[in-house]
Amino acid sequence: MLAALGFCTIGGFLLLTMTKRVSVLVALVLTPVITAVIGGYGDDLGPMALDGLSKVAPTGIMIAFAVLYFSLMIDAGLFEPLIRGILRIARRDPLRVTVGTAVLTICVALDGDGASTFLITISALLPVYRRLGMSRLVLAGVVALGAGVMNLVPWGGPTARAAAALKLDTSDVITPLLPALAAGIAWVLLAAYFIGRRERRRLGTIAEPSEEVAVGDGPGTPLVAARAGTALTVFNLLLTVTLLVCLVLEVMPLPVLFVLAFVIALLVNDPGWEEQQALLEKHGNSVVLVTTMIFAAGVFTGILTGTGMIEKMAHAMVEVIPDSLGGHLPVLVAVTSMPLSLVFTPDAYYFGILPVLAGTADSFGTDPAEVARAAVLGQMTTGFPLSPLTAATFILVGMSGVQLGEHQRFIFRWAFGTTLVMTAAALLTGALPL
């Protein structure tokens, strides 16, 4: 019964959000509450929801101050040279901008952290898309593709989780998959080309405006970056680079780093009380929109985990695998892992489902390392930027200003294509058994 309730919860959430019957915030909270009450867990709703909220609280804090930090940097004109450079190289061609988005995302995503990748790339590129009138769905989708494939790096979440769950070395998982990673990158660039070509047909090559425009303010607005002098711009650049280095090295917890960086940047860029209040009021709406989604997702996952729905769904998924498919389990895992990222949290999949799948495969004579490789090809690698169970997804859609359901419909087939291409490459190179 719990497994059925769990699938109903996920299915109901996806149905409500993709058909736009209610907002994502409402669906995230109400669907698990209703199914938990039906399952007889009404008395335990409070503690389960609170446990989920406590787990996402650091992420919510980090996102709030990260949005404020990068919004301040945009106002100060820090990204204006980068934007001008992209426009110069792209020649205001939507196709070139889209491919450039993929290249920039792949480079930034080398740190292996999806949240910081979305924060940096969306902050830098959203003004370009606004300026050219390009669809924000294109921005969110292409960034999702680039960040997804690069999430396979050894220091990223999927590889580390898979290795830990099956007690393997990360090299056992990632090294045979390097050709598949290269194929995935090539696919992302190809997908960006086709998406960009479609956007070019919609908009055409955009003529240069007669006067420059400000970051994020749309066409026809005079450039405002002049308020930041050379010394202040250098300071902002050094502070941002220092912040990024500290994030990669994990000098301190990520929320603390963003809190400190924002306070320092605010004090230097807007020393007056009135200026500081104006900035908080200007960008407070963006912070609320993103962080409320994070905390609602905490309620969602807290209830699913606390009731045991996720655990029961994992066992139910394994039980339906027929014996005739046992020898082909790695390929089956690879193909299904991406769609399953919409159903299971990363921890639930890697620490709940993957050990059961590996044990099942072992009984058919399949190396558990091959199952681990198959799992990382889709679950969280191409699925995490679409999953409502991953906090980083709400950073992506929140900062881009797109609806989760629209984002999923727009980019799902391209993301699933990434999984299929990487799986084919893994089969051809022997990383997965034929």
Side-chain angles (χ1 to χ4, degrees), residues 124 156 159 199 203 214 241 344 364 406 420-421 433:
T159 304
E199 191 70 356
L203 295 174
V241 171
F344 297 104
F364 289 97
E406 292 178 342
L420 296 180
V421 167

PDB file of all heavy atoms in Angstrom, residues 124 156 159 199 203 214 241 344 364 406 420-421 433:
ATOM      1  N   ALA A 124      24.872  35.205 -15.093  1.00  0.00           N
ATOM      2  CA  ALA A 124      25.653  35.833 -16.158  1.00  0.00           C
ATOM      3  C   ALA A 124      24.896  35.914 -17.478  1.00  0.00           C
ATOM      4  O   ALA A 124      25.037  36.890 -18.216  1.00  0.00           O
ATOM      5  CB  ALA A 124      26.961  35.057 -16.360  1.00  0.00           C
ATOM      6  N   GLY A 156      31.637  14.810  -8.289  1.00  0.00           N
ATOM      7  CA  GLY A 156      30.224  15.166  -8.293  1.00  0.00           C
ATOM      8  C   GLY A 156      29.410  14.182  -7.465  1.00  0.00           C
ATOM      9  O   GLY A 156      29.895  13.136  -7.024  1.00  0.00           O
ATOM     10  N   THR A 159      28.592   9.956  -8.869  1.00  0.00           N
ATOM     11  CA  THR A 159      29.704   9.000  -8.796  1.00  0.00           C
ATOM     12  C   THR A 159      30.068   8.697  -7.351  1.00  0.00           C
ATOM     13  O   THR A 159      30.290   7.539  -6.978  1.00  0.00           O
ATOM     14  CB  THR A 159      30.934   9.544  -9.542  1.00  0.00           C
ATOM     15  OG1 THR A 159      30.571   9.853 -10.890  1.00  0.00           O
ATOM     16  CG2 THR A 159      32.054   8.522  -9.549  1.00  0.00           C
ATOM     17  N   GLU A 199      15.579  28.555 -32.294  1.00  0.00           N
ATOM     18  CA  GLU A 199      15.403  29.897 -31.728  1.00  0.00           C
ATOM     19  C   GLU A 199      15.790  30.966 -32.744  1.00  0.00           C
ATOM     20  O   GLU A 199      15.181  32.039 -32.792  1.00  0.00           O
ATOM     21  CB  GLU A 199      16.249  30.026 -30.453  1.00  0.00           C
ATOM     22  CG  GLU A 199      15.963  31.268 -29.625  1.00  0.00           C
ATOM     23  CD  GLU A 199      14.611  31.237 -28.932  1.00  0.00           C
ATOM     24  OE1 GLU A 199      13.833  30.275 -29.143  1.00  0.00           O
ATOM     25  OE2 GLU A 199      14.320  32.175 -28.196  1.00  0.00           O
ATOM     26  N   LEU A 203      13.449  34.078 -34.043  1.00  0.00           N
ATOM     27  CA  LEU A 203      13.805  35.475 -33.839  1.00  0.00           C
ATOM     28  C   LEU A 203      14.542  36.103 -35.007  1.00  0.00           C
ATOM     29  O   LEU A 203      14.458  37.311 -35.217  1.00  0.00           O
ATOM     30  CB  LEU A 203      14.679  35.613 -32.577  1.00  0.00           C
ATOM     31  CG  LEU A 203      14.018  35.265 -31.240  1.00  0.00           C
ATOM     32  CD1 LEU A 203      15.064  35.304 -30.130  1.00  0.00           C
ATOM     33  CD2 LEU A 203      12.880  36.214 -30.936  1.00  0.00           C
ATOM     34  N   ALA A 214      21.336  48.082 -20.300  1.00  0.00           N
ATOM     35  CA  ALA A 214      21.822  47.634 -18.995  1.00  0.00           C
ATOM     36  C   ALA A 214      21.540  46.162 -18.785  1.00  0.00           C
ATOM     37  O   ALA A 214      20.616  45.594 -19.350  1.00  0.00           O
ATOM     38  CB  ALA A 214      21.150  48.445 -17.896  1.00  0.00           C
ATOM     39  N   VAL A 241      35.902  35.664  -7.368  1.00  0.00           N
ATOM     40  CA  VAL A 241      36.848  34.578  -7.627  1.00  0.00           C
ATOM     41  C   VAL A 241      37.212  33.880  -6.321  1.00  0.00           C
ATOM     42  O   VAL A 241      37.266  32.635  -6.249  1.00  0.00           O
ATOM     43  CB  VAL A 241      38.111  35.113  -8.327  1.00  0.00           C
ATOM     44  CG1 VAL A 241      39.191  34.032  -8.401  1.00  0.00           C
ATOM     45  CG2 VAL A 241      37.772  35.616  -9.728  1.00  0.00           C
ATOM     46  N   PHE A 344      12.511   9.445  -7.385  1.00  0.00           N
ATOM     47  CA  PHE A 344      13.291   9.197  -6.179  1.00  0.00           C
ATOM     48  C   PHE A 344      14.299  10.313  -5.940  1.00  0.00           C
ATOM     49  O   PHE A 344      14.879  10.855  -6.884  1.00  0.00           O
ATOM     50  CB  PHE A 344      14.049   7.863  -6.294  1.00  0.00           C
ATOM     51  CG  PHE A 344      13.158   6.660  -6.405  1.00  0.00           C
ATOM     52  CD1 PHE A 344      12.976   6.017  -7.616  1.00  0.00           C
ATOM     53  CD2 PHE A 344      12.496   6.175  -5.295  1.00  0.00           C
ATOM     54  CE1 PHE A 344      12.157   4.909  -7.725  1.00  0.00           C
ATOM     55  CE2 PHE A 344      11.670   5.071  -5.385  1.00  0.00           C
ATOM     56  CZ  PHE A 344      11.502   4.434  -6.602  1.00  0.00           C
ATOM     57  N   PHE A 364      22.922 -12.792 -11.148  1.00  0.00           N
ATOM     58  CA  PHE A 364      22.955 -13.180 -12.552  1.00  0.00           C
ATOM     59  C   PHE A 364      24.374 -13.131 -13.112  1.00  0.00           C
ATOM     60  O   PHE A 364      24.570 -13.247 -14.327  1.00  0.00           O
ATOM     61  CB  PHE A 364      22.060 -12.259 -13.382  1.00  0.00           C
ATOM     62  CG  PHE A 364      20.588 -12.462 -13.151  1.00  0.00           C
ATOM     63  CD1 PHE A 364      19.900 -11.647 -12.265  1.00  0.00           C
ATOM     64  CD2 PHE A 364      19.902 -13.467 -13.802  1.00  0.00           C
ATOM     65  CE1 PHE A 364      18.544 -11.826 -12.044  1.00  0.00           C
ATOM     66  CE2 PHE A 364      18.538 -13.659 -13.590  1.00  0.00           C
ATOM     67  CZ  PHE A 364      17.861 -12.834 -12.696  1.00  0.00           C
ATOM     68  N   GLU A 406       6.819  23.497 -17.512  1.00  0.00           N
ATOM     69  CA  GLU A 406       7.235  23.917 -18.844  1.00  0.00           C
ATOM     70  C   GLU A 406       8.679  23.519 -19.117  1.00  0.00           C
ATOM     71  O   GLU A 406       9.024  23.079 -20.221  1.00  0.00           O
ATOM     72  CB  GLU A 406       7.078  25.432 -18.985  1.00  0.00           C
ATOM     73  CG  GLU A 406       5.629  25.913 -18.969  1.00  0.00           C
ATOM     74  CD  GLU A 406       5.545  27.420 -19.061  1.00  0.00           C
ATOM     75  OE1 GLU A 406       6.573  28.088 -18.801  1.00  0.00           O
ATOM     76  OE2 GLU A 406       4.459  27.934 -19.384  1.00  0.00           O
ATOM     77  N   LEU A 420      20.646   8.186 -23.425  1.00  0.00           N
ATOM     78  CA  LEU A 420      20.710   7.154 -24.458  1.00  0.00           C
ATOM     79  C   LEU A 420      22.042   7.190 -25.200  1.00  0.00           C
ATOM     80  O   LEU A 420      22.639   6.141 -25.476  1.00  0.00           O
ATOM     81  CB  LEU A 420      19.550   7.336 -25.436  1.00  0.00           C
ATOM     82  CG  LEU A 420      18.141   7.144 -24.864  1.00  0.00           C
ATOM     83  CD1 LEU A 420      17.091   7.354 -25.948  1.00  0.00           C
ATOM     84  CD2 LEU A 420      17.990   5.761 -24.232  1.00  0.00           C
ATOM     85  N   VAL A 421      22.518   8.393 -25.523  1.00  0.00           N
ATOM     86  CA  VAL A 421      23.802   8.520 -26.227  1.00  0.00           C
ATOM     87  C   VAL A 421      24.942   8.002 -25.353  1.00  0.00           C
ATOM     88  O   VAL A 421      25.822   7.256 -25.822  1.00  0.00           O
ATOM     89  CB  VAL A 421      24.042   9.985 -26.632  1.00  0.00           C
ATOM     90  CG1 VAL A 421      25.489  10.200 -27.083  1.00  0.00           C
ATOM     91  CG2 VAL A 421      23.086  10.395 -27.740  1.00  0.00           C
ATOM     92  N   PRO A 433      28.040  -4.152 -20.166  1.00  0.00           N
ATOM     93  CA  PRO A 433      28.007  -5.395 -20.961  1.00  0.00           C
ATOM     94  C   PRO A 433      26.882  -5.347 -21.985  1.00  0.00           C
ATOM     95  O   PRO A 433      25.806  -4.813 -21.715  1.00  0.00           O
ATOM     96  CB  PRO A 433      27.742  -6.473 -19.902  1.00  0.00           C
ATOM     97  CG  PRO A 433      27.009  -5.753 -18.813  1.00  0.00           C
ATOM     98  CD  PRO A 433      27.552  -4.355 -18.790  1.00  0.00           C
TER      99      PRO A 433
END
